[in-house]
Structure formats: C-alpha cells, structure tokens
Amino acid sequence: MRDWHPDLTRSSSPRYMAIADLIEMDLRSGVLAVGDRLPPQRELAKRLNIDFTTVARGYVEAQKRGLVDSHVGRGTFVTGGQDRERRGFMSDAAPDPRRSSVVDFSMNLPPEPDDQDLIARMREGMSAVATNLIPLLRYQGFGGSGMDKEAAAAWLSRRGLVPSQERIFVTPGAHPALLAIFGLLAKPGEIVLSENITYPGMRSIAAQLRLNLSGLPMDEEGILPDAFAEACERLQPKALYLNPTLQNPLTLTIPEKRREEIAAVARKYHVPIVEDDAYGFIPLHGPPPLAAIAPDLTWHIGGLAKCIGAGLRLAYVVAPDTKAIWPFVSAMRTNNVMASPMNVALATRWIEDGTADTILRFIRAEAGARQQMVANILPDGSYRADPISFNIWLPLMNGWTRSTFGSHMRSSGIGVVASDVFTVEGAAPEAVRVCLGGPISRERLKGALDFMAHALEGPPEMSASFF
C-alpha cells in the first residue's frame, strides 16, 4: 500500500492528527489492511505537499493509538491494534489496560525489558515469593530482615561498599530516604548545597522542609571544589547533596580524583555528604562511591529504580556511623512505617538468583543501543550524553525556546522536560532533558528522534506552520 494517498480534507483535525485519523478510517473501511506498508514519511510528505515533520508526527500519533508499528530499515506497517499480541506481550491473562497505559514519559526511566526469557524469569521470582505470601502481608520491622540486609550488602558490594549490616537499611525508595536524611541534617531556614543544575526531587524536598538550597558552579567533572570550599566558608551549609554518577540531567560522572577533592573539602569543614547513587550501578566500571572514599561523612542511597525498576519503590541506605542509626530509623518509621515486604522479598529473590544482574545487563545494553541511535541521528556536539545514560541534555538553538520545543515534542512519545525544574539558582538555560527510556520501543524512539532532528534544523516557525 505504498500508493496510499489520504485526503486530508476528510478530517477537521490538525494535519498530523488527520493523518492518524485517516489511517484509522481507512483501516475500518478496508482501504488499508493489517500488514500493509505505509509510504515512507518523506515520500508521503512530498505527495501531500506538506512538511516531513507533520507526517512524522502523524505516524507517531498513529503508533500511539496502536494502529501502526515502525521497524528500522523496513518501514511502517498497519497493525490495527494487533501488534502487541503478535509480538508476544500478551500472557495467559490479558493485562489490564487501565494499568498498562499509565506512563509518565517525563520521568527518567530505564529501558523496559522486552526479552521474553528474561520476563519469564522475573515472573518465576514473583511466583516463588508468592508461595510465602501470608507472612508478607504482616507488619515487618523497619529496615529489612537479616536475609534482606544480606542481599542488600551483596548488591552494594558491587559498588565497592562493605558496610556492617547495622548500617544498612532497606527503605521504600530513595525519595523518602532523602526526605528523612535532610530532615535530620538541617532545620528550616538552614542552607544545603547541591549542583546548580540538579535532580528536581532535591529541589522539592528542600522546599517541603523549608531549607535554603544553594547551587554550586560546575564544569565537565562536576561541582568545583574551590567553589564548594568558598561556600562552606561563607554559608556554613549543613549538608551537600550530590548525584555523582550519570548525573540527572547533565549525564556527567564525577571522576575519582574530583571525588577525593570534594571529600577533602567536606572533611575540612565537617559537612555531611548525601550521595544519591541512583545510576551508580549502570556503568560497568564506574568510579568508587563517595561513601567508599569518605564513609564516615557520607549518607549513601543506592536506589533500585534505575537499575531494576521504579515500581519496586526500594532503596538501600548506608548510614555514615552508628550514631546516625536511631534518628534515621525514627524518622523513617514516622513517615513510612516500612518498605513493602512483598517488594523487599522480590528484590532479595532477584538478587540472590541472579535475575537482578540479568535485568541490569539488559538495561546497560539497551541504554547503549539507544544512545548509539541518538549519535546516528543528531549532529555531533549538539547535545550532551553518556554512552549509557537514559537521557540526553539538549541545548537549544535556531530560535527554539524550552517552552516552544517542549510543546512541539509533546506528541512524539518521548519525555522532554524544560531546564527550569533542574535549575537551583539564576536564569534557567535554554535547554531540555530528553528521556530515552521507559516503554517506548526502539522503532518509536527512532521516529521521535527523526522528528526532533528535523525540527532542530530550522527555527520553530518552520515546523509550527505546518501543523
């Protein structure tokens, strides 16, 4: 069906929506059939005398509706909503669409496993946990059982950490752990330091606790030690927050030497370090955690959201010393009571039987493949990324602003977040974070990146005028 020639006047929707509407109409009327190959995007754009971007956006919209599926090097094919079943996503019990459709593309998610052998292995772990279901419905002691802490210690040892079990706690995610830790370290009105472009969750936590968050200047290797020392002299901060590996959103990793310099300044001024190691497990051979360089100063948070899955809502926290244990336990119990025993049991099972390592290997490989896709589509030097990060940091040019670009990309199926939410002090740069992970397939990602690259070739009015 390469000669498909839709009449855009049959739909009153904007042109890109009309393309998706007409695919659906022609599928129902029999003009199109499941398996038909649609014309290449540039060919259809020329045929209809419209912009390529409009066609690309229309194909993305059709794919979001489940009408088509794209395959790199082969083209776009009509599926009529049958593609998910054809590719083996349906199990014996069909998934509830009310759950499977809830996706926030603005979150920096890892790529989701699609290997059926791996998914089967994950299900086996869940089945094994369910054999002891009733005890897992009871209240548990905070911080995890001895078995769970052993699994946590084994997992953390991959990052070179060997803390005693009494300093390890299984918590219901990194965010509540950060909230509890900063509630202990600083009082309302006191100052906490962070990167000037930082994880937005830290900004929210500081606002909730009424802390004054002060951003430190950065270079390609992270915060500047001299600026950190100067801020310690001038501001007398109560803590330093860092996301030191594959930093969200800039994707930088602080090298070992810079980590040692930061730790030396923290030690000199007695400033605790809160290390959010969300992405620390992603690099195969990353630098040692700050908790390994300065264990007596550092609260280490090893979240599982980015290296296994956010739905587990689990993180392993290492306290800097035994004095910090009881205040932390009290704060966490007050806010959260405990982590979900079923989630903890599943994480422990996956760590012990090797499933967690297999998931992590998949995430590394898929993140690398997606970054290579970006490198093949976007001009070299036009963005910032790590070869295995889940996102890119994209400075905007040619008259694009972060608001106009975010609006333009909204229908693409990838998450674009303006720099405002990451900026601690000063004017936010004209830049956005573009997320590459989550449930989006490689084929859809390629279409979205092509759409994005085409838009960036010129000013926004060149793209917007065709919608």
Side-chain angles (χ1 to χ4, degrees):
M1 188 53 68
R2 287 178 62 97
D3 59 348
W4 183 63
H5 195 301
D7 179 3
L8 299 184
T9 63
R10 293 166 57 202
S11 172
S12 60
S13 301
R15 289 180 176 180
Y16 80 94
M17 293 288 286
I19 291 171
D21 291 343
L22 292 171
I23 292 172
E24 189 166 4
M25 291 179 192
D26 287 351
L27 180 63
R28 289 175 179 171
S29 66
V31 173
L32 290 173
V34 172
D36 281 348
R37 181 183 177 188
L38 294 180
Q41 295 171 15
R42 293 190 185 279
E43 180 181 313
L44 185 61
K46 184 177 180 180
R47 187 180 301 172
L48 299 177
N49 195 28
I50 60 176
D51 187 64
F52 160 79
T53 306
T54 304
V55 176
R57 199 174 180 186
Y59 277 25
V60 168
E61 175 63 26
Q63 189 156 11
K64 288 169 65 176
R65 299 184 193 180
L67 300 171
V68 302
D69 190 39
S70 297
H71 300 269
V72 178
R74 293 174 52 207
T76 300
F77 295 85
V78 177
T79 63
Q82 298 179 16
D83 188 59
R84 286 183 59 86
E85 186 169 5
R86 177 173 54 80
R87 288 188 293 171
F89 281 94
M90 303 292 281
S91 62
D92 294 338
D96 188 334
R98 293 173 298 175
R99 296 194 184 278
S100 59
S101 63
V102 179
V103 178
D104 184 353
F105 285 104
S106 70
M107 301 295 285
N108 206 27
L109 300 168
E112 292 187 352
D114 58 2
D115 178 87
Q116 293 304 303
D117 290 338
L118 173 55
I119 293 172
R121 185 171 177 178
M122 294 166 70
R123 287 175 175 156
E124 288 173 4
M126 296 189 73
S127 297
V129 167
T131 61
N132 197 34
L133 181 61
I134 299 304
L136 297 177
L137 297 177
R138 304 169 187 155
Y139 284 108
Q140 313 283 322
F142 177 77
S145 67
M147 178 183 180
D148 299 321
K149 290 192 174 189
E150 285 179 10
W155 189 247
L156 293 168
S157 69
R158 293 162 169 76
R159 296 284 289 124
L161 297 176
V162 287
S164 62
Q165 276 199 23
E166 65 178 352
R167 290 170 50 214
I168 298 175
F169 298 93
V170 185
T171 68
H175 200 91
L178 287 167
L179 188 65
I181 291 167
F182 281 104
L184 296 176
L185 296 179
K187 298 176 182 177
E190 293 182 328
I191 291 174
V192 169
L193 302 177
S194 73
E195 310 103 327
N196 195 45
I197 302 291
T198 196
Y199 166 55
M202 184 59 223
R203 294 185 61 203
S204 300
I205 288 168
Q208 183 170 337
L209 295 175
R210 292 180 292 149
L211 306 178
N212 290 326
L213 190 63
S214 181
L216 295 172
M218 309 166 70
D219 64 10
E220 298 298 305
E221 296 187 343
I223 64 167
L224 303 175
D226 289 346
F228 177 29
E230 189 275 334
C232 290
E233 290 276 5
R234 179 170 52 90
L235 301 175
Q236 298 182 328
K238 296 300 180 181
L240 168 67
Y241 168 84
L242 289 176
N243 176 206
T245 301
L246 299 180
Q247 191 251 16
N248 180 11
L250 298 179
T251 76
L252 66 84
T253 292
I254 301 176
E256 184 173 0
K257 185 175 184 299
R258 177 66 63 86
R259 295 180 187 224
E260 291 172 348
E261 293 169 347
I262 292 169
V265 174
R267 189 173 300 284
K268 177 179 178 180
Y269 291 99
H270 308 289
V271 176
I273 299 170
V274 180
E275 180 178 33
D276 184 357
D277 203 35
Y279 304 89
F281 286 93
I282 304 304
L284 192 57
H285 301 292
L290 286 155
I293 296 170
D296 56 320
L297 290 174
T298 306
W299 287 88
H300 179 88
I301 304 169
L304 301 186
K306 311 302 182 183
C307 57
I308 298 181
L312 284 175
R313 301 309 309 139
L314 294 176
Y316 298 141
V317 174
V318 181
D321 53 46
T322 54
K323 291 189 302 181
I325 290 175
W326 289 112
F328 176 69
V329 170
S330 177
M332 289 298 299
R333 277 179 173 162
T334 299
N335 290 330
N336 300 280
V337 182
M338 63 182 181
S340 164
M342 285 185 280
N343 291 0
V344 175
L346 181 59
T348 295
R349 173 80 184 195
W350 281 350
I351 289 171
E352 290 181 340
D353 69 10
T355 302
D357 284 311
T358 306
I359 296 171
L360 182 55
R361 285 194 296 271
F362 167 83
I363 290 171
R364 285 189 188 121
E366 185 63 21
R370 293 176 183 222
Q371 284 291 348
Q372 185 59 54
M373 189 182 298
V374 174
N376 293 339
I377 294 172
L378 298 185
D380 186 37
S382 65
Y383 64 96
R384 175 173 189 141
D386 184 277
I388 53 172
S389 58
F390 303 164
N391 70 282
I392 65 171
W393 181 251
L394 182 67
L396 298 171
M397 296 182 290
N398 291 333
W400 285 98
T401 66
R402 53 198 188 273
S403 59
T404 58
F405 187 74
S407 177
H408 181 72
M409 293 298 297
R410 194 158 291 132
S411 70
S412 70
I414 58 176
V416 176
V417 183
S419 58
D420 305 71
V421 302
F422 307 101
T423 305
V424 177
E425 294 183 18
E430 291 297 349
V432 295
R433 184 190 71 182
V434 180
C435 300
L436 310 176
I440 188 170
S441 66
R442 286 192 198 181
E443 290 78 19
R444 282 189 63 193
L445 177 60
K446 183 182 183 302
L449 290 171
D450 283 335
F451 174 69
M452 183 170 71
H454 182 81
L456 292 171
E457 289 175 359
E461 54 267 22
M462 291 289 292
S463 297
S465 61
F466 293 101
F467 297 161

